[in-house]
């Protein structure tokens, strides 16, 4: 019995199946908790914790909705936050970001939920959550990065750097070309 400790039981197919089924049960439990939370507080609903009277925070529902909100922002700083209900880091950083933009007329926060907007995330190259994009009118995308509650200072620094008042006379390039190409094509749920 090379490779085993003395007295250790041999690994059988049943023990591997048990470990796999335990992981599956844990995943199902996490999914059930996330679904229950969504039913109690649907995205964009009034009364959602941290969203009371925040006109500058929008839960994105589709590609067209994201494009419309980017265009509506004109020359304001737009922070696009990519998140998921099952993501613990997302749940920790989202309230911090919302507090940071609260009461700021020069900043808009667009929240893109990964589970319901996978095509947007895939098209914009989001491979890690939570993830943030920063856009501004004629300047287009300014920067993008992943950040958590531990590295929240990066978000604060980006808002401070890019949120300063500006006078631009150029054409508005805030909507990424990749999103424009998706409009009109059916959304792929994957």
């Amino acid at each position: 019995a090379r490779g085993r400790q003395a007295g250790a039981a041999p690994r059988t197919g049943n023990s591997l199946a048990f470990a796999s089924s335990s992981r599956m049960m844990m995943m199902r439990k996490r999914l059930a908790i996330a679904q229950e939370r969504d039913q109690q507080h649907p995205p964009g609903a009034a009364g959602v914790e941290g969203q009371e009277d925040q006109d500058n925070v929008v839960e994105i529902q589709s590609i067209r909705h994201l494009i419309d909100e980017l265009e509506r922002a004109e020359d304001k700083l737009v922070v696009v936050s990519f998140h998921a209900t099952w993501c613990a880091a997302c749940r920790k950083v989202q309230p911090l970001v919302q507090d940071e933009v609260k009461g700021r007329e020069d900043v808009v926060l667009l929240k893109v939920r990964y589970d319901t907007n996978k095509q947007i995330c895939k098209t914009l190259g989001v491979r890690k959550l939570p993830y943030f994009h920063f856009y501004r009118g004629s300047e287009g995308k300014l920067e993008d990065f992943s950040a958590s509650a531990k590295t929240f200072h990066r978000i604060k620094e980006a808002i401070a750097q890019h949120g300063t008042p500006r006078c631009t006379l150029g054409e508005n390039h805030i909507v990424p070309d990749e999103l424009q190409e998706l409009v009109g094509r059916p959304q792929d749920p994957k």
Side-chain angles (χ1 to χ4, degrees):
R2 194 169 53 176
R4 278 195 330 240
Q5 293 179 352
R11 292 192 77 141
T12 64
N14 289 341
S15 64
L16 292 175
F18 176 75
S20 179
S21 68
S22 294
R23 278 193 294 266
M24 192 63 135
M25 286 173 41
M26 181 66 92
M27 288 173 44
R28 285 185 182 138
K29 184 176 180 180
R30 287 181 182 162
L31 181 60
I33 290 169
Q35 288 172 339
E36 182 178 319
R37 183 176 38 252
D38 289 348
Q39 288 172 353
Q40 291 173 354
H41 302 291
V48 173
E49 184 179 333
Q51 283 193 7
E52 301 84 11
D53 300 332
Q54 274 194 271
D55 294 332
N56 63 337
V57 177
V58 180
E59 186 80 34
I60 297 301
Q61 304 299 324
S62 66
I63 294 167
R64 171 53 48 203
H65 188 207
L66 176 59
I67 291 172
D68 290 346
E69 291 297 330
L70 285 168
E71 289 174 342
R72 187 174 295 123
E74 295 177 343
D75 206 38
K76 293 179 182 178
L77 174 63
V78 179
V79 180
V80 182
S81 169
F82 299 91
H83 65 98
T85 55
W86 46 261
C87 170
C90 299
R91 290 193 307 266
K92 288 179 183 176
V93 78
Q94 283 300 321
L96 299 174
V97 176
Q98 286 184 210
D99 285 347
E100 187 67 24
V101 303
K102 189 174 190 170
R104 292 196 57 168
E105 295 179 13
D106 60 330
V107 180
V108 177
L109 174 61
L110 304 180
K111 296 170 59 175
V112 178
R113 190 167 156 205
Y114 174 80
D115 300 315
T116 55
N117 295 291
K118 289 180 183 174
Q119 187 65 42
I120 294 172
C121 296
K122 182 179 178 181
T123 300
L124 294 178
V126 175
R127 299 188 195 320
K128 186 178 188 180
L129 295 175
Y131 204 80
F132 299 88
H133 283 198
F134 296 82
Y135 296 92
R136 185 152 197 170
S138 61
E139 298 174 54
K141 185 163 80 170
L142 304 168
E143 75 180 291
D144 64 306
F145 53 81
S146 181
S148 64
K150 282 185 176 181
T151 57
F152 177 68
H153 65 91
R154 294 184 67 200
I155 298 168
K156 287 178 78 165
E157 291 165 1
I159 291 173
Q161 177 185 353
H162 302 302
T164 58
R166 297 180 183 157
C167 179
T168 56
L169 302 173
E171 187 179 328
N172 191 336
H173 297 288
I174 197 166
V175 178
D177 292 337
E178 301 91 343
L179 286 180
Q180 289 288 13
E181 293 169 7
L182 285 178
V183 176
R185 285 197 301 181
Q187 283 193 22
D188 180 11
K190 295 179 186 169

